[in-house]
Amino acid sequence: MASPTMATLDVTQEAAVKPSVLNLADESSMIDEVNNSQYIATPSVASVSWDDLDPTDTRDLQIKVDDPQKHVTSMETYITFRISTKTSRAEFDDSEYSVRRRYNEFLWLRARLTEAYPTHIVPPLPEKHSLLGQLDRYQRDFIRSRMALLHRFMNRVADHPVLSCNDSFKLFLVSKPSEFAVHRSRGRSVLNRVSESLHGLTTAGVQSRSPEIQRVLDYAEKLSDKLTALEKASSRIHKDKTVMIGEMQRLHPTLTLMSASEPELGPLLRAAAGAVSRCAAAEQAVTDAQPAQLEQPLREYVLYAEAIREALGRRDAVQAQFEATAAEIQRKEAERAQVNAGHAPSGLSWVFSRATPEALKAEEEKLGKQLHQLKVDLESLNDRLECANSNLLADMERWEKLKVRDISQLLGTMGDSQINFYEECLASWESALAVSEMTLDPARDRPSAN
Amino acid sequence: MDDHDAEENGISNNLPPEANGTGALETPQPPGADAAEKDFKKEPLCTVMEISVSESERRYNGSMNLTEYYTAYLIETRVTEPTFGGALSRQGALWRRYSEFETLAGYLGEAYPYVVTPPLPEKRASHVWQKLATDPFDSEFIDRRRVGLEDERDWKEIVTGTGYLEKVERQLKSLNATIRVKKGDSRFDELLTYGRELETHLSNVLRSRARLTDATYAVRRQHANYGRVLSQWSAVETQMGDGLQRAGHYMDAHAASIDTFVEEEEVYIDQLKEYMYYAAALQAVCHKYTMRQYQLERLDDTLSQLSQRRENALQGKPSLMWRLLGSVDTDEVREMKVADIDQQVADTEQQIRQHTEQLSEFVEKALEDVQRFHSRKVKDLRETIVNYMKLQIRICKKGLQTWRHFRDCVDSLEGQPPPVPPPQEIGSP
């Protein structure tokens, strides 16, 4: 049984032999991917022209998902999104494309990708139904959140050196509706065939995983836990902040009303009311930005943890097949040994036949052929397993860097947004306090006779 | 002035030395104070001496029931003006409990009806942001009450035990009755309206603020969840572990810091609350005016009735007796009746003169005190609002500091010294 024995992942050698493995020797492409993670976030407006985009985006494949539209047919109602592509890659005929796709079509695309690259980490899609239930409040929020995650998905795939070369992906980006429908129906039968071969042989799990692989699995689980907890915490804060903003907005008029009946205190009370109002507005801005800045990225990474586990599962399937084949070889070897020793092999077909030397000879030959085939299979499975392991670990390493980048952007934005908020509040209270100094009447404010 | 009012209300000013309370050192002023003190009689007591409520202590009530206890407050006095002689000694100290303060307040409200009496701090907390039942013996609460009880300002104060006032209860009841007067001083109408407005406004502000602080507190405390999750997460990460842990600690700090701020805010809120009760006291003065005016008008009515009866008696108009029995008043009887009525008229007119005089004195003094109240109110409320604003500023600064630290921790996550400029979002908000 092969297991990756290398302590550090030396894939450069393998790259020469197995072209399907990610070429890590190319440092510059790695850096590009990391830097490009900043374009993952969806445009915050419903439709943005290419001119508004960041001119420093130097990627050779840029994708934008926006402009949700509702379609009503006699059979169903559904939403499509506009997928805009800008590319300089040779395999594309044009440099710009614009198509409309619906959620089910994204699902199809992802199925194609996982089928073609079973042991790569394929980026996640938003879920079919909203989990926490809070998004069902407004259809609009749900659509917005889904669209943001679809945008992230497309860009993740575009940035992936292996996944972005996939034919289905290209078709998804360029095909007109009629062509696309044709490709989709063709794709379905392919799926059926491949899935049979993958899952056909064995349902057994793996015996043990290498430490690196096991680490990945454990990490994915823990990360999912922590990020989900963070999601919950931020959603509770969001709710509580909404209540707080309401109370701030109610305090404002009570102060203003009072200022009407207090001539001397009027300016000061109005200044206080003004400050409260400004703070409420600032707080509202923070809360409004929270979905895009915090909740969507968190959700993506929770789903990513799930995608990692899926990839691990597929890798496990390959290992299981390998182990099953190896076990089969052992059994056949044992049988052959028995036959060589002149004994009839155990087995129902031999119960009623006689173990003549000719029969045994024939049996030995048969076993020999089977063993030969099994060993050939084993070697190819071994290759596939090694490939799977290195793909996965390489992808993980790549993903790790993206993750650190994205998480620090996420938390950094959270920090920045809070800093801006407090700066705004501080300014408003300081200017309110300045009013108090202006309206101070020295004659009136003698020291008390205490 | 004290003597005059005291006599009117049937209180003897010659009180025995302090009988209740412990360690009383003052003796009451002997009647006929000497001339030197007269100068100081016009001034508020606080200009010549310091009065402070310095300590509080738990006392047990009786020996039978140990669970009954109350809090006593130590009142310390010290004469600061060297030429102030008189019976009040240089330094004094005595213990009083809250209910005694209440009776004093009631007495003062009775003896000086035209004054807007400062309110006592509450027995139980209201408009508090936390919906917890406050233990009246909670030491913080006691401290706040203590501060409120110190405000015995602008009073000519008799710091002695006063065995007094059942009259208070009677007065209190009548204050709340709706009394219509035919021609009252419109200034008191305006004052009453203002008093109600002030009370309403302050009550609204207090209520709104309490809910806001409730909500703010909840939001802040939630950040402890961030702290906890970030800390747990840091244990799972290799590269990001350190930064996440430190960031988590700042979230914990952010959550914890709200406590002291809220406590400080409560102190300022108490000052607002005091003025809400002051507004009620203002309305009380208006009611007292109305009552006196009403009494005067009733006397006027009585007088006109008497005039009418005198007319009738003079003319020997048929009285009830005549209707029943058919008798007619003799001249003698008629004269007697008229004389009797004349006497009543004279009495009534005398009463009217007295009342009118008292009423105008009341009006003069009341309006004067209201002025004093207004300027004190402007000063106090301005101070309260300014303090509240300064507190908000401090809260913002602390928040800024915390989140800047948080930001620094996040910058260190990638382990790259110069932080990369913040990435631009496509069509950034």
Side-chain angles (χ1 to χ4, degrees):
Chain A
M1 168 162 21
S3 59
T5 52
M6 38 223 170
T8 58
L9 191 63
D10 186 6
V11 185
T12 47
Q13 281 179 341
E14 311 252 84
V17 177
K18 294 163 180 64
S20 64
V21 172
L22 173 67
N23 187 359
L24 281 180
D26 188 353
E27 281 296 316
S28 60
S29 75
M30 178 75 93
I31 290 170
D32 270 355
E33 282 152 24
V34 169
N35 283 338
N36 291 334
S37 69
Q38 58 190 294
Y39 300 106
I40 294 302
T42 211
S44 58
V45 293
S47 50
V48 166
S49 75
W50 282 111
D51 300 329
D52 298 342
L53 293 182
D54 193 334
T56 71
D57 188 353
T58 54
R59 298 176 299 164
D60 60 2
L61 179 60
Q62 300 171 23
I63 305 175
K64 180 163 55 78
V65 176
D66 63 3
D67 191 29
Q69 298 282 347
K70 201 186 263 192
H71 298 255
V72 182
T73 68
S74 53
M75 303 241 288
E76 56 177 347
T77 304
Y78 59 92
I79 305 236
T80 61
F81 304 91
R82 182 174 64 192
I83 318 292
S84 314
T85 308
K86 203 164 160 194
T87 181
S88 54
R89 287 194 187 179
E91 60 265 30
F92 288 86
D93 295 332
D94 287 330
S95 62
E96 286 189 27
Y97 294 92
S98 179
V99 297
R100 297 208 76 94
R101 298 278 176 251
R102 55 185 291 190
Y103 178 74
N104 285 348
E105 290 163 348
F106 282 87
L107 284 177
W108 170 90
L109 173 62
R110 187 165 192 274
R112 293 284 73 64
L113 291 173
T114 52
E115 181 191 309
Y117 312 99
T119 53
H120 279 282
I121 302 172
V122 178
L125 280 175
E127 296 129 321
K128 239 179 163 21
H129 308 287
S130 69
L131 267 187
L132 300 174
Q134 59 181 10
L135 292 176
D136 285 337
R137 271 181 319 186
Y138 314 106
Q139 183 73 342
R140 215 179 41 148
D141 281 356
F142 177 71
I143 298 295
R144 199 176 284 160
S145 158
R146 170 173 276 191
M147 189 173 78
L149 287 171
L150 289 176
H151 176 90
R152 286 172 175 264
F153 169 77
M154 293 306 288
N155 278 283
R156 298 273 186 213
V157 175
D159 291 345
H160 196 294
V162 175
L163 297 179
S164 61
C165 303
N166 179 268
D167 284 338
S168 299
F169 181 60
K170 180 169 163 235
L171 284 171
F172 185 91
L173 289 175
V174 311
S175 311
K176 293 292 160 238
S178 45
E179 301 169 40
F180 191 61
V182 170
H183 289 302
R184 276 191 70 185
S185 54
R186 220 183 284 153
R188 213 165 285 129
S189 55
V190 171
L191 171 65
N192 291 339
R193 265 187 277 130
V194 172
S195 67
E196 270 173 37
S197 67
L198 263 185
H199 304 297
L201 282 181
T202 170
T203 53
V206 295
Q207 289 169 8
S208 71
R209 302 185 188 87
S210 77
E212 287 116 322
I213 300 290
Q214 187 60 45
R215 244 200 312 276
V216 169
L217 184 64
D218 291 338
Y219 175 73
E221 268 175 31
K222 289 189 189 132
L223 182 69
S224 176
D225 277 344
K226 301 307 159 222
L227 291 179
T228 310
L230 208 58
E231 263 189 317
K232 278 210 193 86
S234 81
S235 123
R236 280 172 67 183
I237 286 189
H238 191 292
K239 277 203 190 85
D240 285 346
K241 273 193 178 173
T242 310
V243 171
M244 184 178 79
I245 291 169
E247 294 304 339
M248 284 168 104
Q249 288 167 339
R250 269 185 279 275
L251 183 61
H252 168 101
T254 61
L255 291 170
T256 312
L257 275 172
M258 187 166 158
S259 77
S261 57
E262 297 289 335
E264 307 95 336
L265 293 168
L268 195 59
L269 283 165
R270 281 191 292 277
V276 168
S277 186
R278 270 175 74 178
C279 287
E283 192 74 75
Q284 186 66 56
V286 168
T287 317
D288 286 343
Q290 191 166 308
Q293 283 177 359
L294 195 60
E295 290 166 17
Q296 283 156 13
L298 276 178
R299 184 101 288 264
E300 193 201 11
Y301 269 87
V302 169
L303 293 168
Y304 236 134
E306 185 56 42
I308 292 173
R309 278 187 284 190
E310 276 172 23
L312 277 166
R314 293 190 294 266
R315 184 221 73 94
D316 280 356
V318 175
Q319 183 170 329
Q321 266 195 305
F322 176 88
E323 287 168 358
T325 308
E328 183 72 6
I329 288 177
Q330 276 195 322
R331 270 199 302 278
K332 295 287 179 196
E333 294 277 15
E335 272 187 35
R336 190 163 66 170
Q338 261 200 320
V339 169
N340 280 343
H343 301 300
S346 56
L348 209 55
S349 50
W350 284 89
V351 170
F352 298 111
S353 322
R354 294 247 299 213
T356 60
E358 298 85 11
L360 287 176
K361 189 91 194 313
E363 183 64 22
E364 197 201 334
E365 270 180 35
K366 186 178 101 181
L367 283 172
K369 282 207 189 84
Q370 282 179 340
L371 274 169
H372 176 80
Q373 182 55 46
L374 281 171
K375 282 180 181 158
V376 166
D377 285 348
L378 189 72
E379 194 163 317
S380 105
L381 278 170
N382 187 33
D383 289 344
R384 275 178 62 191
L385 183 60
E386 279 188 18
C387 211
N389 286 340
S390 58
N391 280 350
L392 194 69
L393 290 173
D395 248 10
M396 264 311 285
E397 200 173 306
R398 196 181 151 275
W399 178 87
E400 273 283 342
K401 288 198 168 68
L402 281 177
K403 175 202 78 178
V404 170
R405 183 62 194 229
D406 285 343
I407 295 295
S408 49
Q409 181 177 335
L410 189 162
L411 293 176
T413 313
M414 183 168 127
D416 282 338
S417 141
Q418 287 295 114
I419 289 171
N420 286 340
F421 164 72
Y422 277 113
E423 281 174 346
E424 172 75 23
C425 275
L426 181 65
S428 58
W429 283 112
E430 276 178 340
S431 75
L433 189 64
V435 168
S436 83
E437 266 127 48
M438 286 193 300
T439 59
L440 201 66
D441 181 355
R444 206 183 347 255
D445 294 288
R446 338 175 266 280
S448 82
N450 235 0
Chain B
M1 170 107 58
D2 299 344
D3 295 336
H4 173 66
D5 279 11
E7 269 165 29
E8 260 208 67
N9 290 295
I11 302 163
S12 158
N13 215 21
N14 293 333
L15 294 161
E18 182 55 53
N20 41 337
T22 61
L25 304 171
E26 293 81 2
T27 50
Q29 272 186 317
D34 42 333
E37 288 161 20
K38 277 221 174 68
D39 298 328
F40 291 108
K41 275 187 120 183
K42 295 288 182 215
E43 294 295 318
L45 204 64
C46 51
T47 55
V48 300
M49 64 195 300
E50 268 176 26
I51 307 171
S52 69
V53 180
S54 54
E55 277 177 41
S56 63
E57 199 182 85
R58 227 178 250 206
R59 300 271 179 84
Y60 290 93
N61 205 0
S63 54
M64 298 306 287
N65 193 351
L66 285 173
T67 57
E68 262 192 45
Y69 51 91
Y70 62 93
T71 311
Y73 303 88
L74 178 65
I75 307 174
E76 291 186 295
T77 60
R78 192 171 66 83
V79 176
T80 54
E81 175 59 52
T83 60
F84 182 77
L88 296 169
S89 52
R90 296 287 133 191
Q91 253 183 330
L94 77 112
W95 290 90
R96 289 261 173 252
R97 56 187 290 187
Y98 186 83
S99 51
E100 292 173 305
F101 278 95
E102 278 184 320
T103 20
L104 174 65
Y107 163 70
L108 292 170
E110 172 60 26
Y112 305 90
Y114 46 80
V115 172
V116 183
T117 60
L120 284 178
E122 305 153 306
K123 258 194 156 128
R124 292 194 175 274
S126 69
H127 286 289
V128 180
W129 62 272
Q130 256 175 352
K131 290 166 183 109
L132 306 170
T134 311
D135 173 18
F137 302 110
D138 177 72
S139 56
E140 279 177 16
F141 180 60
I142 287 170
D143 286 343
R144 269 191 269 139
R145 281 164 67 175
R146 225 179 52 211
V147 172
L149 288 168
E150 274 187 35
D151 286 358
E152 322 262 26
R153 293 179 269 222
D154 292 352
W155 285 97
K156 300 183 176 77
E157 185 154 338
I158 307 168
V159 187
T160 54
T162 54
Y164 61 93
L165 247 342
E166 309 70 30
K167 241 191 175 184
V168 175
E169 268 120 65
R170 185 162 56 84
Q171 288 283 48
L172 280 176
K173 279 185 202 136
S174 60
L175 283 176
N176 288 326
T178 347
I179 296 172
R180 292 256 184 81
V181 291
K182 295 191 193 103
K183 42 161 219 147
D185 190 330
S186 67
R187 286 175 295 184
F188 284 93
D189 290 333
E190 284 164 19
L191 206 58
L192 185 65
T193 311
Y194 171 74
R196 286 186 181 140
E197 269 179 18
L198 182 63
E199 192 177 12
T200 310
H201 286 142
L202 285 173
S203 157
N204 286 342
V205 169
L206 285 169
R207 206 185 6 249
S208 194
R209 192 265 359 161
R211 285 202 302 252
L212 173 59
T213 305
D214 233 343
T216 309
Y217 188 82
V219 168
R220 273 299 192 100
R221 297 302 290 181
Q222 293 279 15
H223 283 78
N225 287 341
Y226 275 156
R228 192 175 31 89
V229 174
L230 286 172
S231 188
Q232 288 171 357
W233 186 9
S234 72
V236 173
E237 293 289 337
T238 48
Q239 182 184 356
M240 302 201 297
D242 199 40
L244 285 176
Q245 171 129 59
R246 281 184 291 126
H249 284 157
Y250 284 114
M251 289 297 92
D252 287 333
H254 192 61
S257 67
I258 192 68
D259 282 320
T260 39
F261 290 133
V262 164
E263 274 169 29
E264 193 185 322
E265 194 175 277
E266 284 308 301
V267 172
Y268 306 136
I269 294 311
D270 278 347
Q271 289 160 8
L272 278 186
K273 239 184 266 181
E274 191 189 18
Y275 270 91
M276 195 172 74
Y277 294 123
Y278 252 125
L282 190 66
Q283 292 170 56
V285 169
C286 296
H287 287 309
K288 287 176 193 167
Y289 164 80
T290 308
M291 209 166 50
R292 282 161 171 72
Q293 173 69 14
Y294 177 71
Q295 282 166 356
L296 188 62
E297 285 177 4
R298 285 203 60 198
L299 285 173
D300 279 341
D301 287 343
T302 309
L303 195 63
S304 19
Q305 278 172 20
L306 285 173
S307 295
Q308 188 59 43
R309 278 173 55 197
R310 190 178 191 280
E311 275 300 309
N312 293 349
L314 265 179
Q315 290 166 28
K317 276 270 176 71
S319 67
L320 190 61
M321 288 301 283
W322 181 84
R323 290 191 201 201
L324 289 176
L325 304 175
S327 65
V328 172
D329 288 340
T330 61
D331 280 346
E332 218 181 71
V333 167
R334 208 186 310 149
E335 271 173 32
M336 261 178 56
K337 279 189 181 164
V338 169
D340 180 51
I341 289 171
D342 279 343
Q343 181 60 38
Q344 288 180 39
V345 165
D347 285 342
T348 309
E349 282 176 342
Q350 161 80 333
Q351 281 185 324
I352 288 178
R353 270 195 298 278
Q354 275 182 343
H355 258 93
T356 312
E357 197 182 299
Q358 283 171 14
L359 186 63
S360 67
E361 191 188 332
F362 176 94
V363 167
E364 184 192 317
K365 291 211 176 107
L367 291 178
E368 189 186 306
D369 200 63
V370 163
Q371 279 312 109
R372 229 177 285 139
F373 164 78
H374 272 304
S375 46
R376 144 135 281 127
K377 170 204 71 177
V378 168
K379 178 173 175 295
D380 283 350
L381 289 185
R382 161 172 280 129
E383 194 182 310
T384 303
I385 296 169
V386 163
N387 282 337
Y388 181 84
M389 287 181 178
K390 285 183 176 163
L391 174 65
Q392 299 309 308
I393 288 172
R394 251 176 292 130
I395 293 175
C396 288
K397 286 187 173 157
K398 186 87 178 93
L400 260 180
Q401 187 191 52
T402 306
W403 283 100
R404 282 184 179 142
H405 283 310
F406 178 88
R407 190 66 176 92
D408 290 341
C409 295
V410 170
D411 285 341
S412 77
L413 283 178
E414 296 185 84
Q416 296 161 13
V420 183
Q424 292 161 304
E425 309 248 289
I426 300 170
S428 51

